[in-house]
Amino acid sequence: MTAIERAASPSRLTGAAALFSSLLAMARKEFTIMTRYPVEFVASFGQVFALVAIFTLAGLTFADASGEGGNFGGVVIYGFILFMFLSDTLWTIGYNIRREQKQGTLEALYLSPASKFASLVSRVSNNLIWTSLLSLAGVGLMTALVGKLPFANPALGLYLLGLSLSGTFGIGFAFAAITLRVKETGETLANVLQFVLLILCANFFPFAALPAGLRAISRVIPLAYGVDAFRSTLMGYPEGFPELASIGVEIVIVTVFGLLMPLIGYWAYRVAEDHERRSGGLSEY
Amino acid sequence: MIAEASLGSKLSIVLATARMRMLNVSRYKGQLFVEILIPIVFAAMPILLGRATGGAAAEANFLRNTGTANYPAFMLIGSSTFIIVTFAFWLVGYWIRFEQETGTLEAIYLTPTSRVWNAAGIALYSAIRSMISGSVAYLIGSLIFGVNPLQGQLLLALAFILVGLVPLFGMTLLFGALVMKVKEANSLVNLMQWTVSLLMGVFFPVAVFPPLMRLLALAFPPTWMVNGVRSALLGVGYFFGEWYLDLAVLWGFLLIAPLLGFWVFSGMERNIRRREGVGEY
């Protein structure tokens, strides 16, 4: 059997092993690109330090004479962690697709028999590890600034984080679909969406601070339940938390969101991709 | 022999560069909208955090910690100044990178003029764009959070901003030199905008810093700019007690920072042209 025949054998082109192998190769390519920009590694740590310090010091300006600021440490840092993952996912998948378009490699990718799903997931796999490290650094810094943070129910917290992340992956896939359709406007849309979600999902403050009208909108966004459930669980359900629904209801919503959203997002991506392929717009940008 | 360009022709470069960039950005209306949205959303987070965690005592606690009970205005001033400072870094610091990416940098180097006039044009463009975005965001934010935007000494606040802009742009030339050398402009600008926000006390007074960090913050023109505006509008207190003393410090920065920035930028530019060439990125 020649090398070409071996490479084109069905077992290497389809099935779980092929999917895993292409995912690994694509993730490795993304990792190689990342390592070419060492300043970015240092800069992202610096950014997290500055952001956490800014919001911690801002929160402390409302502290009473004894320096007591209520639950704000837990509210800010646990919301911040989810915000970092959301921001990464929203930006990275769509941005990477745009990058492939600009570099002229997107069509070449589509000519290969590799899995498109693996191609999408590989865009965020490295970031996921990196953002996890940044989150740990953020928690460490926050602890240094305001003292020990509440850390209850870690297993349930991890479950909620995992499913919320899975849901944000789905949002990222759907957003990549939008980017394929709207092209350059995708960057502006990502910015707007990020800010809108930042307010409506109340990542840096409790939902109680939102006006009633905005809180009603928050109640129809599954990710908002992810933020509320995750931080309330890790804070050990202090009085008034969770704010949007009982924890049981929130766990169900987050679970459904985490399981369904990636499927919906990927479906939306395939529809947009199909449209672009038919209209010949895949390489246009 | 080539005659030295007149001041009029140098100024025309400044105006033409600013006009070209204004024309360019006017094509991106969505981006202009986001620029107004950013300071409002950015200020909304600490405001809502304060309202929720401070409860009924939020204003009293804030007054004791900062010198004013008007925390929405305090945060809005911080975030509006943030957009001015951020723009300066993005537009001036990123300028060389922008020209590199669009493939026009080497063409600019072939023109018989100093790059400093191009940089001045970018600074003018940045100042106009950020002042408009910052002011509109402050006005809309004031309406949303129920703050009177016309309180305090508005002209004095404007003086702090205008005087502070010159040393700020001088600093961005220093930063532009670093970007030219390291090349990873996006990462550096991202890092710089948050570090600058932290140092200038975007949502808190710099008095909360430990002594060494406070000293570092005070060596930084935007810190004097934002505190000057807050003192003029909200009466939080000048660093030296009187407005003219704080403004004099900013004038000192105004004399030193642009010269230092120009000197470092020119040196770095010469160095890079001799070694690898400015067109590489």
Side-chain angles (χ1 to χ4, degrees), chain B residues 41-263:
Chain B
V41 174
F42 194 34
M45 288 182 282
I47 291 172
L48 294 173
L49 177 69
R51 266 185 199 165
T53 56
E59 285 186 0
N61 289 345
F62 197 78
L63 173 65
R64 194 185 49 256
N65 292 324
T66 65
T68 176
N70 194 348
Y71 63 89
F74 187 95
M75 304 299 184
L76 277 170
I77 291 170
S79 66
S80 299
T81 314
F82 161 80
I83 204 80
I84 294 173
V85 174
T86 295
F87 267 43
F89 278 98
W90 269 110
L91 298 177
V92 182
Y94 199 82
W95 163 58
I96 290 285
R97 189 78 177 149
F98 175 84
E99 303 288 1
Q100 277 179 331
E101 284 178 345
T102 49
T104 46
L105 186 66
E106 282 174 327
I108 285 176
Y109 273 84
L110 289 176
T111 60
T113 176
S114 163
R115 255 69 57 205
V116 75
W117 299 106
N118 291 105
I122 300 295
L124 178 65
Y125 154 67
S126 166
I128 295 171
R129 188 172 155 191
S130 61
M131 287 282 284
I132 293 173
S133 299
S135 309
V136 174
Y138 180 65
L139 286 174
I140 296 175
S142 297
L143 290 176
I144 293 172
F145 295 109
V147 171
N148 173 13
L150 304 175
Q151 63 192 310
Q153 297 168 285
L154 280 174
L155 286 178
L156 185 56
L158 193 64
F160 270 99
I161 290 177
L162 292 178
V163 175
L165 278 176
V166 181
L168 174 65
F169 287 123
M171 277 179 56
T172 58
L173 275 182
L174 285 173
F175 182 69
L178 181 70
V179 168
M180 209 159 36
K181 180 73 189 165
V182 182
K183 303 200 193 305
E184 287 183 50
N186 267 319
S187 315
L188 284 175
V189 177
N190 264 327
L191 173 65
M192 201 61 192
Q193 72 178 9
W194 295 116
T195 309
V196 168
S197 307
L198 175 67
L199 282 178
M200 76 180 197
V202 62
F203 294 139
F204 46 83
V206 293
V208 300
F209 286 142
L212 199 65
M213 199 157 163
R214 191 158 62 232
L215 207 65
L216 188 67
L218 291 175
F220 199 60
T223 309
W224 296 81
M225 205 168 139
V226 74
N227 189 65
V229 176
R230 279 179 180 147
S231 301
L233 298 183
L234 306 174
V236 295
Y238 296 99
F239 290 129
F240 283 138
E242 300 292 343
W243 66 267
Y244 50 85
L245 294 177
D246 278 23
L247 203 57
V249 174
L250 263 183
W251 273 99
F253 280 126
L254 182 146
L255 296 174
I256 299 165
L259 292 176
L260 180 69
F262 179 61
W263 178 66

Side-chain angles (χ1 to χ4, degrees), chain B residues 31-41 132-133 136-137 140:
Chain B
Q31 199 176 331
L32 295 174
F33 167 72
V34 171
E35 284 165 17
I36 295 168
L37 188 71
I38 289 171
I40 300 172
V41 174
I132 293 173
S133 299
V136 174
I140 296 175

